[in-house]
Every structure is written in C-alpha cells, then in structure tokens.
C-alpha cells in the first residue's frame, strides 16, 4: 500500500497511524456482527424507480406558485421554471438527446445554468459541467474525452469553445427566443433510474482528469436521505455558491427544488466574497448552507454572519473539518444554527457518511459519523479484510450510490471499484441486506477507523491525493504537467500546512540544464493546463531530490520553502518607495514567500480570497485605509496596490468602466444610490471599442459633502467629463434618477452651445414634470395616472389563470417584502461594527441627498429629442412617456426592454438593453476611423 505524509484534522500523520496498523486478525463472530451489521444498519426504503427530474416534477405539482429560483431581482416560480426546462428539453430531444447522451454545460452561474441542468435531465440525458474558468487545454481535453452531443453555453463564453465546431452548441441567452417557441408540456423520455444523471470530472493522478459517472438511483437516494433527515420546506432557502463542477453543488441545485424551498443563487465570481455572501444570506433569509471548511472559517470572522437569525443548518464537506474550527463555530454561532460534517467522494454520489457536530463533547476528534441510508462502510486492511474497532484501515464504500465508474477508463474503474467477492463472504452478506445490493466496493484511498460507538474517524490519505480549500487534487497531475515542460528533469509536488489552516502546494524541481526555467514561464506553462487552484504557491529549485533508503523520494526531507531561496524571478522588481516596501513586507507575511517583486501578481503567487482578507486587514492596520477586496482584481500587484492606496486623494466622480476604444464615450450617471457598479455588466456588453464611463455621487468616499441639487451635480459631472472630452457631441444616459441628471447635463451643455447626440433615459421617471403645472391642472393628471396604474394591474391579473393571479400578487408582495427586508437588514447592519457603520452611513447620506435633490428639481423643457428606454415589467410607463413628452418638445423615442426597473440592467436582460444602446450610439455617431 502506498503511503504518504498527510495530516489529519488532529495533527496526527497518516504515517504515524500506519504504524498502528495490525496484520489481519481473525475477528470474533461478535466483532463481525458489530462491524458489518450494527454499524452498517442503514437500509431505508425510499421512492424507487424514479429520476432526479421526476422528483422535481412532483414538487411542481405540490407548489406550482412558490418561488423556486432567485437570482438578483429575478424570481421564477416552480411552474415557470418547469415550463422553461420543458422547452429546453423538447429542443434537446429534437437534437437526439435521450438516455445515456452526454450534454455539456459551459456556463456561468445564472438561472439559465439551472434550467440547462434540469432541461437535460428532463430530455433523458446526463449533464457534464465544463467550468468556464478552466484553462483551454483542460476544457479541450474534457470535450474530446466526452464527445458531448450538444453543448449548452452563453454568448460571451462561445470563444472558449471555438475548438469544438463539431458539436451542436446552443447559447441559452441569445437563442432563448427560439427555444421559447418549443412546447411547454412535460417531455416523455424513457430514462430510468439506471441511466446516467451526470458526469463530473475530478483530478487524475496520471496527468489527466477523469469523469465520474453517476446514475439517477444513487443521487435520488442521496437527496431523499437528505430530505428525510434534514427536511426542507417552503419556508427554507438554500444558497447556491459551489461551482457546478464540484459535486457538493448537487445538494444546492437539487435539494431545495425537490422540497418546495427557494434556491438563491450567488452572482458569478462573488461566491468567495464573504461580505457579499453575508449580505445575500441576510437579504434572502437563507436557512441552509453547504460549505467547504475553509469558507466556513472565513464566514465565521464576519460579525453579521454569526448574528444571522435565519441560518438553521450548515453542512461542511469536501475536506476534513478541523476540530478547532468546530470549536470556533460553537463559540461564535447561536445555538439555533447546527453544524454537520459530511464525508464522501464524488464516486459515491456526493456523500456517504454524516455527523451532527456536538456542542458539548468529550471527544477529542471530530467524527465523519455514520453511513447514510443504503450505504455501507468497511474499513479494510491490505488483504481486504475488516480490521478491528480502533484499528486504521482503508475506507471502502458500498451501496446504492456508487458511481458506474470512470468515463472511458475501464482499467481505472476496475482498480478502484472492486468486486465485493474479493473481500469475504461476511461482507457479501452484509451487502445483501441493502435494498439494492451493488456487489462492488469503492476504494477511497482514505485512512479511517471505527470507534466503539459506531462512529468513523477519518485519519488522512494513503495516496497522493490532497484537498486544498475543498478542491480535490492529485499531486501526480501537477507533476505530470510540470514534467511536460522541457526544462524540468524531475519534480515532486507536496501540500504543506506549515501554518494551521493554510495548506499550500509547493513544487520541488530539478532542472534539465544548469538553471530552472523562470517562475513566470513555469506558471504560464501550468496555466494552460491546470485550473488556478492547482497552481503551486512556490517553485523550489533542487539539485537533487532526497531519497529514503529504499530509493523512494523522501518527502519528509524536502525543505520548507521559506528555508530556501525560491526559483529565480528575472522580472524581479524591488520596491521603489516606502509604501511599496511596507506592502512587500505585508505580502511576504501573508503569502509566506520571500523575494516578492512589486510587479508580481498576487494570484499567480498563489494568493486566494482567504489570503486576500488577511492581506487587506494588514493593509488597513498599516495604512488606516479600508480598500474593497475587489481592488485586487484590477490592482493585483504591489505597485498597483500602492497606487490604489494613493488614489483616494484624487477621487473622481468619473469611473472608467470600460475605457478602451476610440469612439466618443458614453457617460452613464448613477441612480439614486450614487454607485455605478451596477453598470458594470452593461459596460461589458457594449462594443469592445465603445468607451463607457460611469458617474458616481460625490461624497461616496465619506470625505466630501454630497451635492445638494441636480443642477449642482450636472455642473460637477460636466467639469470632469470635459477634461476627458472637451467638445461635443456628447452621449449621455442614466438609469432611474441618473436619467434626470443626464437630462439636466444636456440642458447645461446646450446652454453652452455644445451638441448632445444622445440622452438615454433608462426607465427614468420624468421627476418633477407635474410641478410645471398649476395644482388644478396637475391633480387631475395624478388621479388619471393612479387609475391607469390600477387598471394595468387588473389587466395583468385578468389575463392570468387563478393560480397565476395568486402568483402575480405574491410576486409583487414578495418584491415589496424583500425590499423591506433589505431595508430592515440595512438598518440593523448600521449598528454593527464601527467601520461598517461608517460605510453604511455614507451610503445612506448620499442616497438621502439624492432623494432630496430629486424632490426639489423642476425640469425645464428641452427642444431636442430624448430616448426613453423603459422596463417592460413596470406599470407606470404610460405616465412616464406622457411626462417626457411634455418636457422634451423635440420628440421622445420610446423603446421597451425586458425586465423591471432593476433587472433591466442585469443578465440576461442587459444584453437587449445593450443592443438598443449600441444601435443608438452607432446611429448617432459620425463615422470614426
Ligand atoms: P471529492 O470527490 O472532491 O468530494 O473528494 C473526496 C475526498 O475528500 C474524500 O475521499 C476525502 O479524502 C476528502 N473528504 C471529503 N469530505 C471529508 C470530510 N468530511 N472529512 C475528511 N475528508 C473529507
């Protein structure tokens, strides 16, 4: 049996535990009885011969109008979601998808991604996640390996998949209109519980990832066990944050939707931002979380997380839950929040054991618990015989949830999924007690032992697989990728945990020639092959690798990276000033590296979000300045961070959201909140050569006084704009309140004789237009529009069936309720920590100033045309169009776009808004070279 040095949660090494391994002993009949029968009494009868999507469809019948998916401002009811998934399923059927067909999904987290999964299952196929953040080479390999019949993606990711012309590729965002023509009736496919539901790729020790094939029966058993043991109801909400290429996400994607609960999706790329997650948890009243321990560790440091009133269950999985983290959890979290430790490999349909963590415990270790329903656990020695209680052995899994095997890898399947007959008759007999005997066992490679009370303790690995922040990594895969570089003769990669809770990958390398290739070169070589989480934090040059007496590499003798000089960085740039020097010190401590150059990239050096939190806390302590974590995205080097630290002095209302290109810029003014981050997506959707600038409220930095009137704002923004573009024609716009400011800017520009080519009013109310009329004229207008609004609601309701009417009203009420909840949270949050308090107060103050400015604004008429782009789901449109027509005497161009006041600038609606804006910008623009 291969052995390597890995630490368990209690600090013991697998090597030390191995020394306790006893040779097989003949167990007494009582011991057999205890191990195989008593400890494995897991048989449970759940609904059988059912598929994953059928469990969902049964739920749609029970709660058609309950909210199912929530993403930003968008809410889909069970019924709506079911219809959309049916439409996609019909399209897939036409393309030949059915039982055993693999359909790829390469998408960012979005409602379409969930619709894609359910649509594939409904069509009878199995989904294969292709994480768009993976390097091209890895995606290419997986696509070639699976030969998926159809690939579902999004327009912006299409370029990632350009090598795959042979597959049918469908962009669910841009092609949805056509899919929406398909029938909404439930699809009849002859898929059965023995067909594949999904194939998930995990790291492979021989250099390439391997696809694990899971059938419906395994995952259905798993989800039914979960629902029986920790039931969810319509009152519950589950947060979706786990990448879909990690099987823990199955719980997030499916457990709420099989039970009438809500599935609340974190925005893409924000799943590791603790502050964002905490806000979302509070806002959406999340009750259930699935986390890897390192994420729990980060969240526990957030004060507003530990005071959460709604959280009931936190399930940890993916790697060992350290005992100390459990203790920290109990010290910080209220007693109504329960912590659970789940254990299981992808090959066992997500999990196979569970444990409810105990607040008052005499145990000095954290168990992985007992087998879940219809699973059996056997701890076996090298001869595949059970070992006595307390004796370490390899954990083997049996039962209904075992994977069919590895896609296209029969030898590896045979090696890891062994026949139960090899293990002796007692085990065969215990397997036969399960409702669905499998007659195979999966060899996990985990070292574990039974305790006398029937709970299991996991002790580490017996092979070269490691877990880094929940990601499963075969060190052999990294080594194979390194050896593919012509400059490397030999190498060994280890995962070191020199500081508890911070495991890092270190590569020890012997060069082919006298010198190692440069760090930068090695990193870019690996970047083409491996996901970011597999990138070593440091490359250590070695003249030889230490060997043990039997000639194997002696990993214990490998030096710690801070005891030796790291590989040479020729692009090393030394700090040039005091700020850079102090930052270098902070980075070196956080990353535990020496010789960091000021132009080295934080992420390339092995930085991740947990380290970023530490780093920014240290920066705040040293410089007294709190920068948002997202600063690292655009300032990932010491030099750039130093510049960002220096920036607040030169604060500007003008924010370059997309500065590239030589067309005249589009200037988009903030809504009433003052912030322009909400325009980020819109800016990205415009032409790549269309500069897009946001204008944010003065005062957001907490230092300057916010501006009091719309005229004052317009004047200030024009001063800044004219430094960038001194002469017209100007292209202006803004959502909501921002449209009014843009309108006022156009007035001021016109007064100066400047040309304005576009005023794009994005669902902007013509604030103050009625003030232009005497009261006796304004009042009848107001009454008329109120009547119109009521009429519109009634009209909307009339067109709906009774249960949809209910849904409509609930949606409106829910929206209001959610808004109120957000406000309540914001209020509560104000009193939290002094720093957060300061930030919230600043935002509130800016918003208040903006509201006040709007209240006193009386618009003048404007003799040129304006463009009014309204959100289709809003109901005061008639009134707004009328208002703008009384103001813009040059004419009002009226355009409808999908969504509501907020969601119109969010995916997927934002694309159509961008298309409309692009058309206006190019139409009105002179020809540019
Ligand atoms: P994956 O296939 O990514 O789910 O990884 C499975 C492996 O992660 C297991 O074989 C264990 O090595 C490790 N693992 C998962 N959950 C736990 C846990 N609760 N405690 C200890 N190790 C775990």
């Amino acid at each position: 049996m291969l052995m390597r040095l890995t630490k368990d949660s209690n600090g013991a090494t697998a090597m030390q535990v191995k020394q306790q391994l006893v040779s097989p002993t003949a167990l007494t009949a009582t011991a057999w009885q205890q191990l195989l029968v008593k400890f494995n009494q897991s048989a449970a009868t759940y609904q059988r011969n059912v598929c994953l999507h059928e469990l969902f469809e049964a739920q749609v019948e029970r709660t058609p109008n309950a909210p199912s998916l929530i993403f930003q401002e968008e809410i889909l009811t069970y019924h709506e979601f079911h219809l959309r998934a049916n439409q996609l399923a019909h399209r897939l059927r036409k393309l030949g998808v059915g039982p055993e067909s693999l359909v790829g999904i390469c998408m960012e987290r979005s409602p379409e991604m969930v619709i894609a999964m359910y649509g594939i299952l409904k069509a009878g196929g199995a989904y294969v996640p292709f994480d768009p953040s993976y390097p091209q080479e890895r995606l290419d390999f997986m696509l070639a390996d699976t030969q998926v019949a159809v690939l579902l993606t999004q327009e912006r990711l299409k370029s990632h998949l350009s090598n795959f012309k042979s597959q049918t590729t469908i962009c669910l965002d841009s092609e949805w209109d056509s899919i929406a023509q398909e029938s909404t009736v439930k699809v009849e496919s002859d898929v059965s519980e023995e067909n594949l539901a999904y194939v998930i790729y995990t790291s492979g020790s021989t250099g390439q990832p391997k696809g694990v094939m899971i059938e419906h029966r395994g995952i259905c058993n798993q989800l039914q066990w979960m629902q029986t043991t920790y039931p969810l109801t319509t009152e519950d909400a589950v947060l979706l944050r786990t990448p879909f290429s990690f099987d823990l996400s199955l719980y997030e994607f499916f457990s709420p939707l099989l039970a009438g609960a809500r599935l609340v999706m974190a925005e893409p790329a924000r799943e590791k931002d603790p502050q964002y997650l905490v806000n979302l948890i509070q806002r959406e009243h999340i009750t259930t979380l699935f986390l890897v321990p390192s994420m729990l560790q980060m969240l526990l440091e957030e004060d507003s997380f530990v005071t959460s009133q709604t959280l009931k269950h936190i399930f940890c999985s993916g790697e060992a839950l350290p005992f100390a983290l459990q203790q920290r959890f109990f010290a910080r979290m209220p007693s109504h929040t329960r912590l659970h430790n789940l254990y299981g490999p992808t090959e066992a349909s997500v999990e196979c054991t569970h444990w409810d963590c105990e607040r008052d415990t005499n145990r000095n270790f954290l168990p992985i618990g007992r087998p879940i329903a219809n699973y059996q656990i056997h701890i076996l020695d090298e001869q595949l015989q059970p070992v006595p209680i307390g004796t370490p052995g390899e954990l083997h899994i049996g039962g209904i949830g075992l994977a069919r095997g590895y896609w296209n890898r029969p030898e590896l399947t045979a090696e890891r999924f062994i026949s139960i007959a090899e293990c002796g008759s007692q085990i065969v007999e215990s397997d036969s007690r399960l409702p669905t005997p499998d007659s195979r066992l999966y060899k996990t490679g985990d070292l574990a032992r039974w305790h006398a009370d029937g709970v299991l303790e996991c002790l580490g690995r017996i092979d070269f697989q490691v877990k880094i922040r929940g990601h499963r990594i075969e060190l052999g895969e990294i080594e194979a990728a390194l050896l593919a570089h012509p400059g490397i003769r030999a190498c060994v990669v280890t995962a070191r945990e020199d500081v508890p809770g911070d495991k890092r990958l270190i590569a020890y390398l012997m060069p082919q020639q006298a010198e190692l290739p440069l760090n930068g070169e090695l990193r870019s070589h690996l970047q083409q092959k491996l996901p970011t989480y597999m990138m070593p934090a440091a490359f250590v040059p070695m003249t030889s690798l230490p060997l043990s007496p039997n000639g194997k590499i002696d990993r214990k003798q490998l030096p710690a990276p801070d005891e030796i000089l790291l590989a040479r960085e020729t692009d090393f740039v030394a700090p040039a000033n005091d700020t850079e020097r102090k930052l270098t010190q902070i980075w070196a401590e956080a990353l535990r590296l020496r010789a960091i150059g000021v132009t080295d990239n934080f992420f390339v050096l092995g930085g991740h979000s947990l380290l970023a939190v530490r780093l920014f806390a240290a920066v705040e302590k040293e410089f007294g300045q709190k920068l948002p974590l997202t600063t690292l995205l655009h300032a990932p080097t010491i030099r750039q961070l130093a510049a960002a630290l220096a920036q607040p002095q030169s604060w500007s209302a003008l924010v370059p959201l997309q500065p590239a290109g030589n067309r005249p810029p589009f200037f988009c003014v903030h809504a009433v909140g003052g912030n322009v981050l909400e325009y980020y997506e819109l800016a990205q959707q415009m032409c790549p050569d269309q500069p897009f600038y946001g204008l944010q409220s003065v005062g957001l930095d907490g230092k300057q006084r916010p501006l009091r009137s719309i005229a004052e704002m317009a004047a200030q923004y024009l001063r800044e704009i004219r430094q960038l573009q001194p002469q017209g024609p100007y292209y202006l716009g803004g959502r909501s309140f921002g449209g009014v400011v843009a309108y006022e800017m156009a007035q001021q520009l016109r007064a100066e004789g400047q040309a304005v080519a576009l005023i794009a009013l994005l669902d902007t109310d013509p604030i103050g237009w009625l003030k232009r009329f005497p009261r006796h004229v304004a009042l009848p207008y107001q009454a008329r529009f109120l009547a119109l609004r009521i009429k519109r609601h009634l009209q909307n309701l009339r067109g709906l069936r009774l249960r949809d009417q209910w849904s409509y009203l609930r949606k409106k009420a829910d929206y209001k309720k959610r808004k109120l909840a957000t406000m309540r949270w914001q209020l509560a949050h104000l009193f939290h920590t002094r720093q957060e308090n300061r930030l919230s107060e600043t935002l509130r103050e800016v918003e208040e100033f903006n509201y006040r400015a709007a209240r006193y604004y009386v618009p003048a008429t404007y003799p040129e045309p304006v463009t009014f782009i309204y959100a289709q789901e809003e109901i005061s449109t008639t009134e707004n169009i009328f208002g703008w027509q009384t103001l813009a005497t040059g004419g009002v161009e009226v355009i409808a776009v999908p969504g509501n006041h907020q969601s119109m600038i969010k995916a997927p609606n934002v694309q159509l808004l961008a298309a409309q804006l692009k058309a206006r910008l190019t139409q009105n623009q002179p020809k540019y070279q």
Side-chain angles (χ1 to χ4, degrees), residues 382 459 498:
E382 286 168 25
L459 299 159
D498 298 320

Side-chain angles (χ1 to χ4, degrees), residues 558-629:
L558 290 166
D562 41 4
E563 287 166 13
I564 40 89
L565 270 181
L566 295 179
R568 191 167 59 90
E569 299 259 14
T570 52
D571 49 354
F572 177 85
V573 182
N577 54 43
D578 208 35
T579 310
E580 289 186 355
R581 249 185 304 280
K582 283 182 182 153
L583 279 176
T584 309
Q585 234 169 30
I586 294 173
W587 279 45
E589 267 162 42
L591 292 160
R592 281 179 303 104
L593 290 176
R594 288 204 278 167
I596 300 178
V598 294
T599 53
D600 289 348
N601 185 304
F602 175 76
F603 298 102
V604 175
L605 289 177
H608 50 79
S609 41
L610 182 60
L611 281 183
V613 174
R614 280 191 211 148
L615 189 103
F616 274 50
V619 168
E620 192 183 352
K621 203 164 153 214
E622 178 67 45
F623 296 95
Q625 252 173 275
K626 191 174 174 77
L627 294 177
L629 278 186

Side-chain angles (χ1 to χ4, degrees), residues 486-487 489 510-516:
R489 179 144 60 97
M510 281 173 67
Q512 198 63 265
Q513 308 291 326
E515 292 236 0
L516 260 192

Side-chain angles (χ1 to χ4, degrees), residues 364-376:
N364 57 1
F365 70 97
L366 211 165
I368 54 168
R370 300 186 167 87
I372 70 169
N374 301 321
Y375 278 81
Q376 299 217 317

Side-chain angles (χ1 to χ4, degrees), residues 298-359:
M298 279 168 81
L299 288 173
L300 281 182
E301 299 316 312
E302 296 287 321
D303 287 342
S304 35
F305 178 74
V306 299
T307 54
S308 162
Q309 290 307 307
T310 57
L311 280 175
K312 290 196 276 192
H313 295 284
I314 298 182
F315 295 94
C316 262
S317 177
E319 62 188 335
L321 176 59
F323 190 79
L325 183 57
Q326 169 192 257
Q327 298 311 92
R328 176 90 182 134
F329 177 93
F330 288 133
R332 296 274 285 161
M333 293 300 280
S335 56
H336 63 256
T337 312
R338 292 168 63 197
L339 178 66
H340 313 271
N341 187 19
L342 301 178
Y343 159 90
T346 312
E347 288 84 345
S349 311
V350 195
E351 310 297 352
C352 56
T353 72
H354 73 114
W355 177 250
D356 298 337
C357 297
E358 298 162 330
R359 196 169 273 270

Side-chain angles (χ1 to χ4, degrees), residues 95 102-104 130 139-153 158 161-170:
L95 293 169
L102 299 191
V103 180
F130 291 88
L139 288 176
D140 288 355
F141 168 80
M142 288 163 57
L143 283 163
D145 194 37
T146 49
Q147 293 291 317
V148 287
V150 181
L151 188 57
L152 304 179
T153 185
K158 241 171 137 180
L161 308 160
S162 49
N163 292 353
F164 286 87
K165 303 232 162 30
S166 57
Q167 275 96 348
T168 307
T169 304
I170 306 179

